[in-house]
Amino acid sequence: MKLKIITSNPGKVREYSAALSRLGIETEHMKIPYDEIQTSELSEVAEKGMDEIISKGVRDFILDDSGLFIDALNGFPGVWSAYAQKTIGNKGILKLMEGVENRGAEFRCCIGCDISGKRIVVTGICRGEITLSEKGTDGFGFDPIFTHDGKRTFAEIPLEEKNSVSHRGIAIQLLLAELEKLGLSR
Ligand code: IMP
């Protein structure tokens, strides 16, 4: 099976290529812009994105809408994560969290997959905490300020390890289970 990965984010491409190749799924990266609608649900953004990509004649692909949801900030940046990353960045998030004791947060990743005329939408969640400072140089986006084990950030662990615990890794496992149910996993 071959799936196109529709994203402009090189970090996502690296994670999908590594995780899907381990499952025997070939990947091809395609950068096709699509509108990210303003809504409070990642799955709605992914569904609308899928409609737009399908309307362009593209089939057999995955795209993902993901974000960081911080408990003490009532889920901010959430669906506005890309905007927050571009504007205030990790330093801005740490500033908002200065003096905040409750550091609980979660990454969510919603994958939309079009395959053989079928549509699959799954969401993976990874709970963790916002660190007190930025640490690590691997990964992308909010990785340097998020820890799933209270010890190392996602930017301090190898990609394979991130994929084994992350929101995206969990979403990929859920996607695989759905593909298996449809008899499409190979
Ligand atoms: P989008 O899904 O491309 O809209 O990304 C939302 C924002 O969340 C972007 O700024 C990403 O950098 C960030 N983001 C999404 N997934 C991850 C991740 O696995 N690690 C760190 N940041 C992420």
Side-chain angles (χ1 to χ4, degrees):
M1 184 200 306
K2 187 166 179 177
L3 283 174
K4 301 172 185 82
I5 306 171
I6 314 282
T7 181
S8 56
N9 181 329
K12 288 186 186 179
V13 178
R14 275 194 298 277
E15 292 180 15
Y16 280 113
S17 309
L20 294 174
S21 74
R22 286 186 63 155
L23 300 170
I25 299 173
E26 257 188 272
T27 55
E28 178 192 353
H29 177 213
M30 283 181 93
K31 258 191 199 177
I32 307 176
Y34 59 90
D35 270 352
E36 294 203 3
I37 55 160
Q38 284 304 302
T39 162
S40 56
E41 290 297 326
L42 295 179
S43 59
E44 279 180 40
V45 183
E47 292 262 16
K48 287 279 180 214
M50 288 179 78
D51 291 342
E52 204 177 315
I53 299 294
I54 289 169
S55 76
K56 292 181 180 176
V58 180
R59 297 287 183 277
D60 297 339
F61 65 85
I62 54 174
L63 52 76
D64 101 22
D65 198 52
S66 28
L68 176 67
F69 295 72
I70 301 177
D71 300 351
L73 303 179
N74 293 324
F76 181 83
V79 288
W80 298 282
S81 289
Y83 184 70
Q85 181 62 231
K86 259 185 252 145
T87 51
I88 61 173
N90 290 339
K91 288 191 173 47
I93 297 287
L94 290 179
K95 189 114 193 106
L96 291 175
M97 292 294 286
E98 254 171 32
V100 176
E101 259 182 51
N102 173 10
R103 317 273 319 168
E106 63 190 39
F107 265 127
R108 296 182 201 159
C109 170
C110 177
I111 299 181
C113 174
D114 170 273
I115 179 83
S116 302
K118 303 249 180 335
R119 184 183 279 239
I120 302 169
V121 178
V122 289
T123 301
I125 296 178
C126 175
R127 288 284 312 163
E129 284 173 8
I130 302 300
T131 50
L132 295 169
S133 60
E134 289 180 80
K135 277 190 237 149
T137 50
D138 285 346
F140 65 96
F142 301 109
D143 281 347
I145 59 166
F146 181 86
T147 173
H148 74 293
D149 62 3
K151 296 184 198 113
R152 299 157 306 157
T153 68
F154 270 1
E156 292 180 297
I157 60 177
L159 182 145
E160 294 294 338
E161 191 179 345
K162 180 181 171 192
N163 267 346
S164 71
V165 294
S166 76
H167 49 311
R168 190 159 295 106
I170 292 166
I172 290 169
Q173 289 307 320
L174 294 171
L175 173 65
L176 183 68
E178 292 303 314
L179 290 172
E180 276 168 359
K181 274 191 221 160
L182 293 169
L184 291 170
S185 55
R186 292 280 155 212

